[in-house]
């Protein structure tokens, strides 16, 4: 039964797992759990707490079973995501708060646990950080399991699906995703979700094409409808016409060929056609990403966002804990260099382990963030500096300060670095005595006064994500202004050129570690502007390497010069797109 009689509708979402799939829909609509609400007799309150503890235990066993199953099917690395789930179950804050709420209110434990879990989910979901928002998904998934156990209902799963179908759901939890039979799931589309959701990671590892964030696709479909899932462009096409099917047949072939061309360069050097080698490094958030850095042959790490160690912890990690994490990365990648960035929290990234450090702020992005917060908490900052210094004894470390706005801040950070070094010397602990700090250039004032920073800085690393936001006065998290966030704005290009020129005049290496560096469209522009090094999400390395190997540096320089002459960002965008297409077309 072909669908051509119905009209075709395209729904745009987010491309989450590459590939194209076409088939009939299996609408997976989990019903909301009904949570009873009642008061527990005072003499039964001990038993209620015991019931809660038993439910946590049973849930833990369930998660271990799923983890074993996923380890068997997908390997240990994919199964690691369930460690995060077990951590939720062991979270003393979540459990303690539930019991305290219960003791205070006397309401049944499901009600108390659900209320506390919802508060946590809400708090994480509001954080403007994709990785941390995913922690909300972990808590949601685990809380649902615990509630199912408490209510004596079995948890939903997708393993009943046996016929080949496109799974369309509001959201899919990691454990639900793990129970999917690969041979039955042609594709996955969800209303909610982001590129880094754990369910998507599982889909990607099973090579199931997936699109997330379609908002309300589930309301537009019925079981048995036909859908095309385009995991490259991030769209779902309901009832595709014959023409669309034909077009997709061709696209799929071309994409498959292109993917294999991309992966074919993984082992090859990042070298332009005129023989210029480009250093490509990886951005990481956690020590377990060292494996990805190796897999994608990155020349070390260009940005390690240390705040993730702090943001997911209930209490501030001390020097020893930090040292262990930093050492694992540095020793794991030695002799390749690892750029460790000091804490960038505050503003939209509150510190759960030290809420007392922050108060309410009207403009958090312009507020008490990153180096500003560290300089006002010197003991906390020195804990981190000593941990980084100690890690430098195990390989090659570069130290980077975020959100530097001018020379005075850099000097104050360096003074604390000198104190941290003296303290380690007094303790007799080893570190790289030559280690110096480098400034991230991500505030326009730092770019304009770059010459005043250069003498004190070991290198410049441009954070385009924040630089563009602050230069254009565009809150990148605001939907209404997102379209104005433009890397090809003439002011952005001029500023990038100025930073590179200033850095080079002072003999400094200039790298880019913002998202622009991992976008193959903008890579020629950055290299043409003279950027020395690029650091990006590990999985983007092959695509970036591919364009580097397909162009001459001299051509990229001509492109940058032409881009700098443009007044309209759209023209510049058209130029970079034409440059890219010309060099990546098959042939
Ligand atoms: C940047 O601002 O470009 C950057 C790399 O830092 P973050 O995205 O962590 O703010
Ligand atoms: Mg930044």
């Amino acid at each position: 039964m072909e669908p051509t009689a119905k009209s075709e509708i395209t729904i745009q979402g987010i491309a989450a797992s590459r590939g194209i799939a076409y088939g009939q829909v299996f609408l997976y609509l989990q019903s909301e759990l009904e949570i009873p609400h009642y008061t527990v007799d005072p003499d039964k309150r001990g038993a209620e707490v015991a019931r809660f503890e038993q439910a946590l235990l049973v849930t833990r066993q369930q998660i271990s079973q799923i983890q074993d199953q996923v380890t068997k099917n997908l390997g240990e690395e994919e199964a690691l995501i369930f460690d995060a789930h077990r951590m939720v179950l062991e979270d003393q804050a979540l459990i303690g708060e539930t019991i305290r709420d219960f003791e205070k209110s006397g309401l049944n434990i499901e009600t108390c646990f659900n209320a506390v879990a919802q508060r946590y989910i809400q708090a994480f979901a509001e954080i403007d950080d994709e990785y941390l928002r995913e922690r909300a998904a972990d808590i949601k998934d685990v809380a649902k399991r615990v509630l199912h156990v408490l209510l004596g209902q079995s948890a939903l799963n997708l393993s009943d699906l046996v016929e080949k179908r496109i799974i369309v759901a509001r959201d899919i939890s990691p454990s639900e995703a793990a129970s999917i039979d690969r041979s039955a799931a042609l594709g996955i589309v969800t209303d909610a979700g982001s590129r880094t959701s754990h369910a998507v990671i599982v889909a990607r590892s099973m090579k199931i094409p997936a699109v997330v964030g379609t908002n309300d696709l589930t309301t537009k479909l019925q079981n048995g409808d036909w859908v095309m899932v385009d995991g490259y462009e991030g769209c779902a096409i309901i009832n595709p016409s014959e023409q669309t099917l034909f077009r997709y047949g061709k696209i799929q072939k071309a994409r498959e060929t292109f993917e294999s061309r991309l992966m074919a360069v993984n082992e090859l050097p990042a070298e332009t056609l005129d023989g210029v080698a480009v250093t490509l490094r990886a951005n990481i958030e956690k020590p377990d990403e060292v494996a990805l850095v190796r897999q994608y042959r990155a020349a070390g790490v260009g940005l390690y966002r240390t705040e993730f160690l702090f943001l997911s912890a209930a209490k501030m990690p001390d020097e020893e804990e930090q040292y262990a994490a930093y050492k694992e990365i540095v020793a794991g990648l030695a002799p390749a260099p690892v750029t460790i960035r000091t804490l960038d929290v505050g503003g939209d990234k509150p510190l759960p382990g030290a809420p007392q450090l922050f108060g309410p702020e009207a403009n958090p992005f312009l507020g008490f963030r990153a180096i500003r917060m560290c300089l006002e908490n010197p003991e906390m900052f020195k804990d981190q500096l000593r941990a980084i210094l100690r890690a430098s004894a195990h390989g090659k470390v570069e130290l980077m300060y975020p959100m530097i706005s001018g020379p005075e801040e850099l000097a104050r950070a360096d003074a604390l670095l000198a104190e941290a070094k003296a303290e380690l010397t007094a303790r007799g602990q080893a570190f790289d005595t030559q280690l110096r700090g480098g400034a991230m250039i991500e505030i326009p004032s730092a770019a304009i006064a770059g010459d005043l920073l250069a003498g004190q800085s070991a290198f410049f690393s441009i954070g385009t994500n924040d630089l563009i936001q602050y230069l254009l006065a565009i809150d990148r998290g605001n939907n209404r202004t997102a379209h104005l966030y433009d890397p090809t704005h003439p002011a952005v290009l001029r500023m990038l050129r100025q930073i590179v020129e200033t850095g080079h005049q002072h003999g400094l290496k200039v790298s880019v570690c913002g998202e622009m560096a991992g976008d193959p469209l903008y890579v020629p522009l950055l290299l043409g502007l003279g950027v020395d090094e690029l650091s990006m999400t590990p999985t983007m390395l092959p695509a970036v390497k591919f364009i580097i190997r397909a162009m001459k540096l001299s051509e990229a320089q001509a492109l940058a010069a032409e881009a700098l002459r443009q007044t309209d960002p759209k023209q510049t965008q058209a130029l970079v797109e034409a440059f890219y297409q010309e060099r990546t077309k098959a042939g």
Side-chain angles (χ1 to χ4, degrees), residues 172 194 272 358 406 417 469 500 545:
I172 294 180
S194 73
T272 61
F358 301 95
L417 178 66
Q469 149 162 274
V500 171
K545 199 185 280 182

Side-chain angles (χ1 to χ4, degrees), residues 305 341 344 369 402-403 440 442 463 465-467 476:
R305 293 179 163 102
R341 178 174 78 179
D344 182 358
R369 189 187 157 185
M403 295 275 295
M440 269 195 91
E442 51 183 349
N465 306 341
D466 277 316
L467 184 68
R476 71 196 205 222

